[in-house]
Amino acid sequence: MTGSVTGTLVLAGTPIGDAADAPPRLAAELENADVVAAEDTRRLRRLTQALGVHTRGRVVSYFEGNESARTPELVEALEGGARVLLVTDAGMPSVSDPGYRLVAAAVEKDIRVTAVPGPSAVLTALALSGLPVDRFCFEGFLPRKAGERLGRLREVADERRTLVYFEAPHRLDDTLAAMAEVFGADRRAAVCRELTKTYEEVRRGGLGELAAWAAEGVRGEITVVVEGAPAPGPSDLDADELVRRVRVREEAGERRKEAIAAVAAEEGLPKREVFDAVVAAKNAAAKNEAGTGPSNGGGRNRTAER
């Protein structure tokens, strides 16, 4: 034990394929931890053999099936001063892997939580995809059921940021086909397979093309990167319709400024364009009213002349 009042929870990134990618600190943490909580103790054993290290502390399993039950046990060890190291099969704990429950429980008890950064399939796939990486969303695994999967995809159909997904190889063809249906067959994507391993492959193309390729069968660990939705194009609505929609919002209680901003956002237009349409309509209405008012006798005179 460390001898401190409370211990430390260490989240350690592990290689996503090549053991040589292990961060140098990982070996030291594996040797010095009081408790090593591993998603798969057999994989942990293979990793320690590859790194040439021996775990001195107690090794316990910590996976989806026992995460809820084992978390209190690990928190108790942390409260007793233990240094607990959490590792998953590949990548960072908590990222579509066990870890969140333990971190939340430790934070609630005011226990120190730190990390040993390591390889990440999400960032590696993004970097290799050839798609924009300045802004992105990690969506994890999609639901297994077709209807739920389509629903989840429709939720992000207009998302402008690049999207990253994990997927099982036997569901990849169905997932890509669903993406092509919701996002469009021409939306660019990259399927990253077996990253950092011997048979690493990055397949790039439109979603429709990739779905046809995956239908033949794909093996290995899969990360899918999808281009974000294109920016909205010019609105197809004419000025009269823009004005009508602003008026509807005003009649519902919105201030004109907010109504103009909302309509502009819905149509992907500059606020100035909607504002100008509203002002032009107001001016036109004022002129019409002036032209038909009782002070203007021009119309009656012309009628009389005929």
Side-chain angles (χ1 to χ4, degrees):
M1 295 294 182
T2 62
S4 60
V5 176
T6 58
T8 299
L9 173 61
V10 183
L11 311 177
T14 54
I16 59 176
D18 190 338
D21 293 333
R25 278 179 54 203
L26 177 59
E29 291 289 352
L30 285 167
E31 288 187 328
N32 297 322
D34 299 305
V35 181
V36 179
E39 184 177 11
D40 187 326
T41 57
R42 293 167 299 181
R43 291 200 181 191
L44 173 65
R45 193 176 304 113
R46 289 197 291 270
L47 177 61
T48 55
Q49 290 173 349
L51 298 179
V53 300
H54 299 281
T55 54
R56 300 173 185 172
R58 180 166 57 97
V59 175
V60 299
S61 62
Y62 190 76
F63 58 96
E64 185 178 1
N66 72 354
E67 192 174 359
S68 295
R70 180 139 284 168
T71 293
E73 173 189 331
L74 294 175
V75 170
E76 183 179 354
L78 287 163
E79 289 183 310
R83 189 172 186 86
V84 176
L85 178 68
L86 178 61
V87 294
T88 57
D89 291 348
M92 284 298 297
S94 296
V95 182
S96 284
D97 277 328
Y100 166 75
R101 286 187 179 89
L102 181 55
V103 173
V107 169
E108 185 178 354
K109 296 289 187 178
D110 201 26
I111 295 169
R112 181 171 180 260
V113 181
T114 187
V116 177
S120 165
V122 175
L123 296 180
T124 303
L126 272 168
L128 295 178
S129 69
L131 298 172
V133 298
D134 54 331
R135 300 172 68 227
F136 68 91
C137 298
F138 175 58
E139 289 290 310
F141 285 93
L142 286 166
R144 292 180 173 85
K145 295 182 179 179
E148 294 177 4
R149 182 167 56 232
L150 284 172
R152 184 74 61 81
L153 291 171
R154 287 177 183 133
E155 289 176 3
V156 294
D158 297 324
E159 175 58 63
R160 302 274 295 280
R161 293 170 291 183
T162 299
L163 301 163
V164 185
Y165 295 88
F166 288 160
E167 192 50 279
H170 63 279
R171 291 196 300 267
L172 180 63
D173 55 342
D174 289 337
T175 291
L176 290 172
M179 288 177 171
E181 177 183 341
V182 175
F183 299 152
D186 294 331
R187 180 85 72 90
R188 293 188 302 163
V191 176
C192 303
R193 188 178 71 85
E194 294 290 88
L195 289 171
T196 77
K197 299 178 184 177
T198 302
Y199 298 104
E200 176 181 283
E201 178 183 18
V202 180
R203 191 91 174 196
R204 305 175 182 88
L207 284 168
E209 173 191 345
L210 292 172
W213 162 74
E216 300 176 4
V218 178
R219 295 181 179 181
E221 301 286 338
I222 304 293
T223 305
V224 181
V225 185
V226 184
E227 182 180 32
S235 175
D236 293 329
L237 300 182
D238 59 22
D240 289 342
E241 177 61 16
L242 292 174
V243 172
R244 186 194 71 79
R245 288 174 58 175
V246 170
R247 186 178 298 119
V248 168
R249 286 180 169 273
E250 285 187 279
E251 291 173 352
E254 286 190 25
R255 296 171 56 192
R256 177 166 295 178
K257 181 178 180 181
E258 283 74 17
I260 289 172
V263 173
E266 288 173 355
E267 295 303 315
L269 294 171
K271 285 187 287 187
R272 169 59 63 178
E273 185 172 335
V274 182
F275 174 80
D276 289 346
V278 171
V279 171
K282 181 179 179 181
N283 291 339
K287 287 181 180 179
N288 288 337
E289 185 177 346
T292 58
S295 62
N296 189 337
R300 290 192 297 274
N301 291 340
R302 285 193 294 273
T303 302
E305 289 172 359
R306 291 193 199 92

